[in-house]
């Protein structure tokens, strides 16, 4: 290189540098925005893609219950309330896709563990005004989605709170009653007769009501499922494209005829994935049966169970006694296989949703979801996939993707602040450091207050909720309860 060339290169470099400095000096400053709440210096994780979308040291501005902006700098952002995230991790609020709500008292427990949305799977009339009261800010609780009363036919799995139907006419009338009452989705159960089930599917489709639940089997006869198949095959139900099928345990019972056969489970997983039907996992529901058996009943009164509804718990006395007397060994074998099925389903592309059956047996409201996430990672799913099943995926299934389950501008300001990295250790997601719910900041002390308040129950109100609702759809409360 000649001296002349070197001088020209140096001159060109100087000009380029000067131009760069001028451009930087003239770049417009970030648009000034004012909100209600500014969370500064947080590590956000988005779950929309196949891999995490991570933003370090972000600033999240919230206004009117929504995220107004997420930026890498706080320049131009202002709010009367500022929270220092101190580099901690912020994820979308968690969704539990399978719970049972008996009274408004227990709602605060869900929020205290970062659960900002629940899907109630046994609706009663009191749930409908409760949804509106929550959204109006009159009751502090997670966003509530609910099915109508469980539709079932007489049989081994019938329960007193089920809305019983056997014929096609009865089934159509029940769906019509639920729709006219204000429910927008249906839950079905395993004993449904074929005529009733087929009529429910037709009537629900005509009314644009999604169907979810246990997969109906038809009338159960002696020798089912070991020696003869169910009257309604699992594949028939799969073709009806439920919003979700509930419980991996149910899939094993019906879809595999209760066989612990990994090859058959993988083949079934491919069918489920091909049909695009999501499955709500609820590994915890079975694990807690095992826990009660292992502890000879002591787990029924472990810390946290005081948050379970006291009236519902009284009705569980027989179940507690039964499971306390069971040999844990075969129950544990089932638990191991259900976990294996969860992993097989994930490998084969089945859409998995986190759910817990919280609110019944010993499944603690709110806390159960963190336990479910731990069980799923224990089954071999990655922390990312597990958290996705409780954030973004529920939004997709419920038709609200882009509106919630995300940490981007325009998303609902339902956000969980965690003290550590949940992608490194899922246990981190089990106890929030704070919560943004409907745009309001709740620190750890506020969450503790909600949890304590959940133990202050109103038994009379619960009985009015439950028994009043059951009477509305024809349950004879003067009749013997049977099982």
């Amino acid at each position: 290189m000649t001296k002349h060339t070197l001088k020209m290169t140096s001159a060109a470099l100087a000009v380029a540098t000067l131009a760069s400095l001028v451009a930087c000096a003239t770049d417009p400053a970030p648009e000034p925005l004012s909100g209600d709440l500014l969370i500064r210096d947080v590590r956000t994780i988005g779950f929309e893609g196949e891999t995490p979308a991570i933003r370090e040291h972000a600033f999240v501005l919230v206004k009117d219950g929504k995220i107004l902006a997420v930026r890498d700098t706080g320049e131009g952002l202002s709010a009367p309330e500022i929270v220092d995230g101190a580099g901690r991790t912020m994820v979308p609020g968690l969704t539990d896709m399978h719970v049972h709500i008996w009274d408004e008292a227990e709602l605060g427990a869900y929020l205290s563990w970062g659960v900002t949305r629940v899907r109630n799977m046994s609706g009663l009339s009191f749930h409908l005004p409760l949804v509106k009261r929550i959204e109006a800010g009159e009751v502090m609780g997670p966003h509530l989605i609910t099915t109508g009363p469980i539709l079932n036919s007489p049989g081994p799995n019938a329960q007193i709170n089920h809305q019983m139907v056997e014929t096609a006419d009865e089934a159509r009338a029940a769906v019509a009653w639920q729709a006219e009452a204000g429910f927008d989705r249906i839950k079905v159960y395993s004993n449904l007769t074929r005529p009733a089930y087929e009529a429910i599917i037709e009537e629900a489709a005509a009314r644009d009501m999604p169907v979810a639940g246990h997969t109906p089997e038809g009338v159960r006869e002696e020798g089912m499922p070991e020696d003869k198949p169910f009257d309604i095959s699992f594949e028939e139900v799969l073709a009806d494209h439920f919003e979700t099928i509930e419980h991996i345990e149910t899939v094993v019972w019906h879809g595999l005829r209760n066989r612990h056969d990994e090859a058959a489970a993988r083949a079934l997983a491919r069918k489920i994935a091909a049909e695009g039907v999501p499955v709500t996992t609820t590994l915890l529901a079975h694990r807690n049966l095992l826990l009660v058996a292992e502890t000879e009943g002591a787990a029924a009164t472990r810390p946290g169970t005081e948050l379970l509804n006291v009236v519902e718990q009284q009705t569980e006395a027989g179940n507690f006694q039964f499971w306390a007397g069971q040999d844990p060994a075969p129950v544990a074998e089932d638990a191991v296989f259900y976990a294996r099925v969860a992993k097989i389903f994930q490998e084969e592309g089945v859409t998995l949703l986190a759910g817990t059956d919280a609110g019944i047996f010993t499944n603690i409201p709110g806390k159960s979801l963190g336990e479910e996430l731990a069980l799923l990672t224990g089954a071999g799913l990655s922390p990312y996939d597990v958290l996705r099943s409780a954030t973004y995926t529920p939004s997709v299934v419920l038709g609200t993707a882009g509106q919630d389950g995300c940490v981007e501008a325009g998303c609902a300001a339902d956000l969980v602040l965690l003290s550590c990295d949940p992608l490194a250790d899922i246990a981190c997601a089990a106890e929030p450091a704070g919560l943004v719910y409907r745009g309001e900041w709740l620190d750890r002390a506020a969450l503790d207050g909600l949890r304590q308040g959940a133990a202050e129950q109103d038994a009379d109100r619960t009985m009015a909720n439950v028994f009043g609702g059951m009477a509305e759809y024809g349950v004879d409360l003067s009749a013997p309860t049977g099982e």
Side-chain angles (χ1 to χ4, degrees), residues 235 251-252 255-272 337 341 344-345 348:
E235 287 75 11
V251 176
V252 171
L256 298 180
R257 292 171 61 184
N258 210 31
R259 295 171 296 158
H260 289 194
D261 184 331
E262 288 195 18
R266 193 170 294 278
L268 185 62
R270 290 170 181 159
K271 291 181 182 179
I272 298 171
F337 186 67
V341 171
I344 289 171
F345 278 14
E348 297 298 336

Side-chain angles (χ1 to χ4, degrees), residues 80-157:
E81 184 176 12
I82 299 175
V83 173
D84 186 1
R88 292 173 292 185
T89 298
M90 180 161 275
V91 300
L94 305 178
T95 296
D96 189 331
M97 285 290 282
H98 192 124
V99 308
H100 294 270
I101 304 290
W102 307 104
D103 184 69
E104 63 193 65
E106 63 224 52
L107 295 174
Y110 288 97
L111 290 178
S112 79
W113 271 289
V115 180
T116 58
R117 176 169 54 187
V118 296
R119 187 177 59 156
N120 177 66
M121 297 300 288
S122 180
L124 294 163
S125 57
F126 86 94
H127 289 115
L128 298 174
L130 183 58
V131 169
K132 296 178 180 178
R133 292 170 63 210
I134 291 170
E135 294 308 313
E138 298 171 9
V139 175
M140 195 64 174
H143 303 290
L144 174 61
I145 297 164
T146 187
T147 70
I150 296 170
L151 293 174
N152 200 8
S153 302
N157 291 334

Side-chain angles (χ1 to χ4, degrees), residues 173-258:
V175 173
W177 179 87
Q178 292 194 18
E180 289 160 11
F183 295 103
D184 61 5
R185 50 196 4 100
I186 298 293
K187 181 179 178 182
V188 294
Y189 219 72
S190 52
N191 293 152
L192 280 167
T193 66
R194 178 179 287 278
Y197 170 63
E198 291 177 348
I200 289 168
I201 293 298
E202 291 175 4
E203 188 70 19
R207 294 176 179 271
D208 198 25
M209 300 174 76
V211 175
H214 296 219
T215 50
E217 307 160 5
V219 176
R220 192 179 304 174
E221 299 174 0
E222 187 176 350
M224 293 179 177
E226 290 82 4
D227 300 325
K228 64 169 69 172
F230 294 109
D231 177 44
I232 302 173
S233 73
F234 186 87
E235 287 75 11
E236 287 181 81
V237 178
L238 197 58
D240 288 325
H241 294 104
F242 280 21
E243 179 177 65
T244 57
I245 291 172
E246 301 305 295
H247 316 297
I248 283 178
E249 180 179 354
T250 293
V251 176
V252 171
W253 169 259
H254 191 184
L256 298 180
R257 292 171 61 184
N258 210 31

